[in-house]
Amino acid sequence: MSFDEKCYQLLQRVPKGRVTTYKELAEAVGIRAYRAVGQAMNRNPRLIKVPCHRVVCKNGEIGGYALGVKKKIELLQSEGVEIKGDRVVGMDGILYRFSSQ
DNA sequence: CGCAGTCTAGCAC
DNA sequence: GTGCTAGACTGCG
């Protein structure tokens, strides 16, 4: 399985209404290059299958999105995630940790 | 706020 | 095929 495939698989593990960080995702994949994860997300070859919008910065900021940060916010809000400005509200509570499993 | 660390993909030679 | 650059980040000074 390729690096990107692992990222997508783990990302799909994140339940609706929850979010994760590039760091957590990278750690789950087995690397420490959070940026590489973002790269795979940005390429987004499986946008329909991979909820890249559930990946946010550690500080709660949206970070970025292939279709635009605004779109990402709307998608997250549609899933029940509260967004204030360009940051996730209470992201510390909805943050999904792969380590929990 | 700015620099460095770490990984993958893409372009150039 | 190998080398360099850039990028949806994070942490420390």
Side-chain angles (χ1 to χ4, degrees), chain A residues 22 34-35 41-42 58:
Chain A
Y22 298 97
Y34 332 112
R35 305 178 67 170
M41 299 299 97
N42 183 248
K58 193 81 176 299

Short mmCIF file of all heavy atoms in Angstrom, two decimals, chain A residues 22 34-35 41-42 58, chain C residues 6-11:
data_model
loop_
_atom_site.label_atom_id
_atom_site.label_comp_id
_atom_site.label_asym_id
_atom_site.label_seq_id
_atom_site.Cartn_x
_atom_site.Cartn_y
_atom_site.Cartn_z
N TYR A 22 -3.25 16.92 10.87
CA TYR A 22 -2.26 16.36 9.96
C TYR A 22 -1.24 15.55 10.75
O TYR A 22 -0.77 14.52 10.29
CB TYR A 22 -1.56 17.50 9.20
CG TYR A 22 -2.52 18.29 8.36
CD1 TYR A 22 -3.07 19.49 8.82
CD2 TYR A 22 -2.91 17.83 7.10
CE1 TYR A 22 -3.95 20.21 8.04
CE2 TYR A 22 -3.79 18.53 6.32
CZ TYR A 22 -4.31 19.74 6.79
OH TYR A 22 -5.19 20.45 6.03
N TYR A 34 4.08 15.77 8.49
CA TYR A 34 2.68 16.19 8.37
C TYR A 34 2.44 16.85 7.01
O TYR A 34 1.37 16.78 6.44
CB TYR A 34 2.34 17.18 9.48
CG TYR A 34 3.19 16.98 10.71
CD1 TYR A 34 4.14 17.93 11.09
CD2 TYR A 34 3.06 15.80 11.45
CE1 TYR A 34 4.92 17.73 12.22
CE2 TYR A 34 3.84 15.59 12.58
CZ TYR A 34 4.77 16.56 12.96
OH TYR A 34 5.55 16.35 14.06
N ARG A 35 3.48 17.47 6.53
CA ARG A 35 3.34 18.19 5.25
C ARG A 35 3.09 17.21 4.12
O ARG A 35 2.33 17.50 3.20
CB ARG A 35 4.63 18.98 4.99
CG ARG A 35 4.93 19.89 6.16
CD ARG A 35 6.22 20.63 5.93
NE ARG A 35 6.10 21.57 4.83
CZ ARG A 35 7.01 22.47 4.54
NH1 ARG A 35 8.09 22.55 5.27
NH2 ARG A 35 6.84 23.27 3.55
N MET A 41 -3.37 14.98 0.47
CA MET A 41 -4.73 15.50 0.55
C MET A 41 -4.97 16.50 -0.57
O MET A 41 -6.00 16.50 -1.22
CB MET A 41 -4.94 16.19 1.89
CG MET A 41 -4.75 15.30 3.10
SD MET A 41 -5.89 13.91 3.19
CE MET A 41 -4.84 12.63 2.47
N ASN A 42 -3.98 17.35 -0.78
CA ASN A 42 -4.11 18.39 -1.80
C ASN A 42 -4.28 17.76 -3.18
O ASN A 42 -5.07 18.22 -4.00
CB ASN A 42 -2.86 19.27 -1.79
CG ASN A 42 -3.00 20.39 -2.80
OD1 ASN A 42 -2.30 20.43 -3.79
ND2 ASN A 42 -3.93 21.27 -2.56
N LYS A 58 -3.42 21.67 14.02
CA LYS A 58 -3.40 21.35 15.44
C LYS A 58 -3.99 22.50 16.25
O LYS A 58 -4.62 22.29 17.28
CB LYS A 58 -1.95 21.13 15.87
CG LYS A 58 -1.83 20.49 17.23
CD LYS A 58 -2.01 19.00 17.19
CE LYS A 58 -1.80 18.38 18.56
NZ LYS A 58 -0.42 18.62 19.03
P DA C 6 11.54 26.53 -4.34
OP1 DA C 6 11.24 27.81 -5.01
OP2 DA C 6 12.32 26.52 -3.09
"O5'" DA C 6 10.16 25.77 -4.10
"C5'" DA C 6 9.38 25.38 -5.22
"C4'" DA C 6 8.07 24.77 -4.77
"O4'" DA C 6 8.28 23.41 -4.34
"C3'" DA C 6 7.44 25.49 -3.57
"O3'" DA C 6 6.01 25.41 -3.67
"C2'" DA C 6 7.93 24.68 -2.38
"C1'" DA C 6 7.95 23.28 -2.96
N9 DA C 6 8.93 22.37 -2.35
C8 DA C 6 10.18 22.65 -1.91
N7 DA C 6 10.82 21.62 -1.41
C5 DA C 6 9.91 20.57 -1.56
C6 DA C 6 9.96 19.21 -1.23
N6 DA C 6 11.02 18.62 -0.67
N1 DA C 6 8.88 18.45 -1.51
C2 DA C 6 7.81 19.03 -2.06
N3 DA C 6 7.64 20.30 -2.42
C4 DA C 6 8.75 21.03 -2.13
P DG C 7 5.12 26.32 -2.78
OP1 DG C 7 4.22 27.06 -3.66
OP2 DG C 7 5.93 27.04 -1.76
"O5'" DG C 7 4.26 25.23 -2.01
"C5'" DG C 7 3.61 24.17 -2.75
"C4'" DG C 7 2.86 23.28 -1.80
"O4'" DG C 7 3.72 22.19 -1.39
"C3'" DG C 7 2.43 24.02 -0.52
"O3'" DG C 7 1.13 23.60 -0.09
"C2'" DG C 7 3.49 23.64 0.48
"C1'" DG C 7 3.92 22.25 0.02
N9 DG C 7 5.34 21.95 0.31
C8 DG C 7 6.37 22.83 0.36
N7 DG C 7 7.51 22.29 0.69
C5 DG C 7 7.20 20.95 0.87
C6 DG C 7 8.02 19.85 1.25
O6 DG C 7 9.23 19.86 1.51
N1 DG C 7 7.30 18.68 1.31
C2 DG C 7 5.98 18.55 1.04
N2 DG C 7 5.46 17.33 1.16
N3 DG C 7 5.19 19.56 0.70
C4 DG C 7 5.87 20.73 0.64
P DA C 8 0.20 24.93 0.07
OP1 DA C 8 -0.66 25.02 -1.13
OP2 DA C 8 1.16 25.99 0.37
"O5'" DA C 8 -0.70 24.85 1.36
"C5'" DA C 8 -1.62 24.01 1.46
"C4'" DA C 8 -2.07 23.79 2.88
"O4'" DA C 8 -3.34 23.18 2.75
"C3'" DA C 8 -1.19 22.85 3.68
"O3'" DA C 8 -1.42 23.04 5.07
"C2'" DA C 8 -1.72 21.52 3.25
"C1'" DA C 8 -3.23 21.83 3.19
N9 DA C 8 -3.96 21.00 2.24
C8 DA C 8 -3.72 20.78 0.92
N7 DA C 8 -4.58 19.97 0.36
C5 DA C 8 -5.45 19.65 1.38
C6 DA C 8 -6.57 18.83 1.44
N6 DA C 8 -7.05 18.18 0.42
N1 DA C 8 -7.20 18.73 2.61
C2 DA C 8 -6.73 19.40 3.67
N3 DA C 8 -5.69 20.20 3.73
C4 DA C 8 -5.08 20.28 2.54
P DC C 9 -0.31 23.86 5.92
OP1 DC C 9 -1.00 24.99 6.52
OP2 DC C 9 0.95 24.07 5.19
"O5'" DC C 9 0.01 22.83 7.08
"C5'" DC C 9 -0.59 21.54 7.13
"C4'" DC C 9 -0.01 20.83 8.34
"O4'" DC C 9 1.40 20.65 8.14
"C3'" DC C 9 -0.17 21.61 9.64
"O3'" DC C 9 -0.27 20.72 10.76
"C2'" DC C 9 1.14 22.37 9.72
"C1'" DC C 9 2.11 21.39 9.11
N1 DC C 9 3.26 22.04 8.46
C2 DC C 9 4.54 21.82 8.99
O2 DC C 9 4.65 21.06 9.96
N3 DC C 9 5.60 22.44 8.44
C4 DC C 9 5.43 23.24 7.40
N4 DC C 9 6.51 23.82 6.90
C5 DC C 9 4.14 23.46 6.82
C6 DC C 9 3.09 22.86 7.38
P DT C 10 -0.51 21.35 12.20
OP1 DT C 10 -1.44 20.49 12.95
OP2 DT C 10 -0.79 22.79 12.05
"O5'" DT C 10 0.94 21.18 12.85
"C5'" DT C 10 1.56 19.88 12.78
"C4'" DT C 10 2.74 19.84 13.73
"O4'" DT C 10 3.89 20.45 13.10
"C3'" DT C 10 2.52 20.59 15.05
"O3'" DT C 10 3.18 19.90 16.11
"C2'" DT C 10 3.14 21.94 14.79
"C1'" DT C 10 4.29 21.60 13.85
N1 DT C 10 4.67 22.65 12.89
C2 DT C 10 6.02 22.82 12.62
O2 DT C 10 6.88 22.14 13.13
N3 DT C 10 6.31 23.81 11.72
C4 DT C 10 5.44 24.64 11.09
O4 DT C 10 5.85 25.48 10.30
C5 DT C 10 4.04 24.42 11.41
C7 DT C 10 3.01 25.26 10.77
C6 DT C 10 3.73 23.44 12.28
P DG C 11 3.09 20.47 17.59
OP1 DG C 11 2.81 19.33 18.49
OP2 DG C 11 2.19 21.64 17.61
"O5'" DG C 11 4.58 20.98 17.87
"C5'" DG C 11 5.68 20.16 17.48
"C4'" DG C 11 6.99 20.83 17.85
"O4'" DG C 11 7.36 21.79 16.83
"C3'" DG C 11 6.92 21.61 19.17
"O3'" DG C 11 8.17 21.50 19.86
"C2'" DG C 11 6.67 23.04 18.71
"C1'" DG C 11 7.43 23.10 17.40
N9 DG C 11 6.92 24.05 16.41
C8 DG C 11 5.61 24.40 16.17
N7 DG C 11 5.47 25.30 15.23
C5 DG C 11 6.78 25.55 14.80
C6 DG C 11 7.28 26.42 13.81
O6 DG C 11 6.66 27.18 13.06
N1 DG C 11 8.66 26.37 13.71
C2 DG C 11 9.46 25.56 14.47
N2 DG C 11 10.76 25.64 14.24
N3 DG C 11 9.02 24.75 15.41
C4 DG C 11 7.67 24.79 15.52
#
